[in-house]
Amino acid sequence: MERVPVLKIGDILLVSIQIDMSDQTAVTLQEDLAERIVATGAHGVIIDITALDIVDSFVGRMLSTIASISKVLDAETVVVGMRPAVAITLVELGLSLNGIRTALNVERGMELIAATREDDFGLDEAEDVESGSAATSA
Amino acid sequence: MERVPVLKIGDILLVSIQIDMSDQTAVTLQEDLAERIVATGAHGVIIDITALDIVDSFVGRMLSTIASISKVLDAETVVVGMRPAVAITLVELGLSLNGIRTALNVERGMELIAATREDDFGLDEAEDVESGSAATSA
């Protein structure tokens, strides 16, 4: 059976979807991800869909489910790498990817996850850290 | 035609191979990678083969070619995520993956690339830069 690999980078799990998802692959991916989040204490899940030509309602639902599961396990999910044509088709089909956050690419996804966690822990602390590094790198 | 996505994370390009590579997919991947290395100035290429059940001589040669192309473009290549069974089969087949560096997972691959670059620039300079940035961000 085909299995989508889950890669760990820092406290983020990265999944790059390249194969056609069947019911079974989707369930396996959800289980793998949930297990890895618990095992690694990851705070974010980035799902890359650069390779997908089509995001239909099945894939959309799978993404929503993954986002919901991750949320319960205290991890943010961001979908990245959506092609322009996929976005157009999604809107034309009336699929809105409810509850799913998106970013342009993996790096922006990582920034989004980091920013969200800073918000959660209180802005003051986060601002101090940010302005400190900005001042020294200038 | 299927295409393997190339993801950029910092100054590293990450490729997760999940589909069966044909001649055409392999050539496209080599071209995509070469273009992205030049476009982004990436210093490292990490190829994840977690999803591969078999690494035959064709895939082995493709990995070697990618490593050679990257080298010419001043980027280190590290293959990560090889399964134990794949390693055993490789040795049994007498394939040695010449010129290819490996690491256990993506994170160790990133460390290996970072360590190699420090060596290239001379340890003293690298240490200066590191301690410098550490001091300013503290």
Side-chain angles (χ1 to χ4, degrees):
Chain A
M1 195 198 57
E2 282 183 314
R3 214 183 182 105
V4 180
V6 178
L7 307 176
K8 179 172 173 289
I9 300 170
D11 64 348
I12 285 175
L13 299 179
L14 176 65
V15 179
S16 174
I17 297 182
Q18 298 172 27
I19 56 174
D20 289 330
M21 302 301 288
S22 65
D23 280 356
Q24 190 51 51
T25 355
V27 170
T28 311
L29 175 59
Q30 287 162 16
E31 289 173 356
D32 283 354
L33 259 178
E35 270 169 32
R36 286 294 293 276
I37 292 172
V38 173
T40 62
H43 290 137
V45 175
I46 294 183
I47 303 176
D48 170 68
I49 58 168
T50 319
L52 295 189
D53 287 321
I54 297 167
V55 172
D56 54 16
S57 58
F58 175 72
V59 173
R61 202 162 55 241
M62 181 193 75
L63 295 175
S64 292
T65 310
I66 288 176
S68 304
I69 295 173
S70 307
K71 193 83 191 169
V72 179
L73 296 171
D74 191 28
E76 288 291 323
T77 305
V78 180
V79 172
V80 306
M82 189 183 295
R83 296 194 196 172
V86 170
I88 293 169
T89 315
L90 269 181
V91 172
E92 282 176 354
L93 289 175
L95 297 174
S96 56
L97 295 188
N98 273 328
I100 300 177
R101 306 175 71 182
T102 53
L104 203 58
N105 52 39
V106 176
E107 287 181 327
R108 296 223 184 152
M110 286 179 161
E111 287 167 14
L112 184 59
I113 289 171
T116 312
R117 290 202 67 81
E118 279 177 7
D119 283 352
D120 286 352
F121 285 115
L123 258 178
D124 288 348
E125 204 178 80
E127 268 177 354
D128 278 356
V129 174
E130 278 226 307
S131 61
S133 64
T136 49
S137 67
Chain B
M1 194 199 55
E2 283 182 314
R3 214 181 180 107
V4 180
V6 178
L7 307 175
K8 179 173 172 291
I9 301 170
D11 64 348
I12 284 175
L13 299 178
L14 176 64
V15 179
S16 174
I17 297 181
Q18 298 171 27
I19 56 174
D20 288 330
M21 303 301 290
S22 65
D23 280 357
Q24 189 52 52
T25 354
V27 170
T28 310
L29 175 58
Q30 287 162 15
E31 289 173 357
D32 283 354
L33 259 178
E35 270 170 31
R36 287 293 293 277
I37 292 172
V38 173
T40 62
H43 289 137
V45 175
I46 294 182
I47 304 177
D48 170 69
I49 58 169
T50 319
L52 296 189
D53 288 321
I54 297 167
V55 172
D56 54 16
S57 59
F58 175 73
V59 173
R61 203 163 51 241
M62 181 193 75
L63 295 175
S64 292
T65 309
I66 289 176
S68 304
I69 295 173
S70 306
K71 192 83 190 169
V72 179
L73 296 171
D74 191 27
E76 287 291 322
T77 304
V78 180
V79 172
V80 305
M82 189 183 294
R83 298 192 194 173
V86 170
I88 294 168
T89 316
L90 270 180
V91 172
E92 282 176 353
L93 289 175
L95 297 173
S96 55
L97 296 187
N98 272 329
I100 300 177
R101 306 175 71 181
T102 52
L104 202 60
N105 53 39
V106 176
E107 287 181 326
R108 296 223 184 151
M110 286 178 163
E111 286 166 14
L112 184 59
I113 289 171
T116 311
R117 290 202 67 79
E118 277 179 9
D119 284 353
D120 286 354
F121 285 117
L123 260 177
D124 288 346
E125 202 177 81
E127 268 176 355
D128 278 356
V129 173
E130 280 227 306
S131 60
S133 64
T136 48
S137 66

